[in-house]
Amino acid sequence: MRVVIGNVEHDVKVAACMSVPRLGFMDMYFSAFSALSPLGIPITKGTGAFWDQVMSRILKDLSAEEAGNTFVLTLDYDSVFEIDCVTRLISAMLISGVDAIAPLQMKRDDKMLMFTPEGMGSDGPREVTLPHEWWEKPAQPVDTAHFGLTFLRCSALRRMPKPWFIGVPNADGEWGDNRVDPDIGFWRRWKECGNTLAICPQVSIGHAELLITWPDQKLKAIHQYPTHYWNSGGKRPPEAWGSEDHAKRSERQGE
């Protein structure tokens, strides 16, 4: 892959990889084909019950010196992006010299960006206000990110001690709040060995997810996350047509 930044040309070898289930989002796959094929970036896929183990095996092979890759580009099977996202990310990485860089991406079922600003830690506040100038730079250091469309420098992977991905339960030995998932554990180990990690504030990608669409009481569409539906005991939103609240109001109006 040839990257031109100003008057300087860089020849880099990039290999993409992802862990996939047996079924997936076709929007993501067409995004990947449309964005990566013109750049000559091949995709290696792995399957298995455990995402962390699959990614460990693929990253080990693609980052080996004999593979000859400069960077590995990780993908999630529910990311949506364009070719411009890929080229701008690699340019930001070369300009900044960081060991890993990810774009902005929203968490599914939540209104939060998936990164931890540097120094905030997992126990910090859920909402952080960053100054306007923070968003204007091509790369900003962070403590954690994601793997939705993320460039990793192969030399940095090789100097990282194994295991790369490991989950840790909370203080009660359970996998609820305050656990450390394998992806977050990866980023902590990444930085512990001296590797750098950044978010590119100039680039964002989509996160494909399912939504339940209901008619509301004016027969207009409203949406609900499946997680919220099941966490509420299988209840539709109170403003949805046919909800318990709607039924009670209809009964009162009929009295």
Side-chain angles (χ1 to χ4, degrees), residues 6 23 64 68 78 81 111 119 137 140 142 172 176 181 188 209 211 214 222 229 231 240 244 251:
L23 301 175
D78 53 5
F81 54 93
K111 296 179 180 180
K137 294 185 178 180
Q140 286 285 11
V142 294
D172 297 322
D181 290 328
R188 290 182 179 180
E209 57 185 321
L211 286 175
W214 304 96
I222 57 172
Y229 176 77
N231 286 346
E244 293 180 4
E251 290 177 0

Side-chain angles (χ1 to χ4, degrees), residues 37-58:
S37 293
L39 299 174
I41 299 177
I43 306 175
T44 297
K45 66 109 174 168
T47 56
F50 305 102
W51 173 87
D52 50 332
Q53 295 181 18
V54 172
M55 291 298 291
S56 291
R57 290 192 288 267
I58 300 174

Side-chain angles (χ1 to χ4, degrees), residues 167-187:
V168 181
N170 61 24
D172 297 322
E174 298 178 350
W175 296 98
D177 292 340
N178 299 317
R179 71 188 184 279
V180 177
D181 290 328
D183 55 345
I184 299 302
F186 176 96
W187 293 124

Side-chain angles (χ1 to χ4, degrees), residues 90-106:
I90 190 65
S91 297
M93 190 172 194
L94 292 171
I95 291 170
S96 63
V98 295
D99 295 315
I101 195 166
L104 299 174
Q105 187 178 33
M106 299 299 295

Side-chain angles (χ1 to χ4, degrees), residues 12-24:
V12 295
K13 187 177 178 183
V14 181
C17 67
M18 59 191 300
S19 173
V20 298
R22 287 177 291 176
L23 301 175

Side-chain angles (χ1 to χ4, degrees), residues 233-244:
K235 293 183 179 179
R236 64 187 64 196
E239 63 270 28
W241 187 274
S243 68
E244 293 180 4

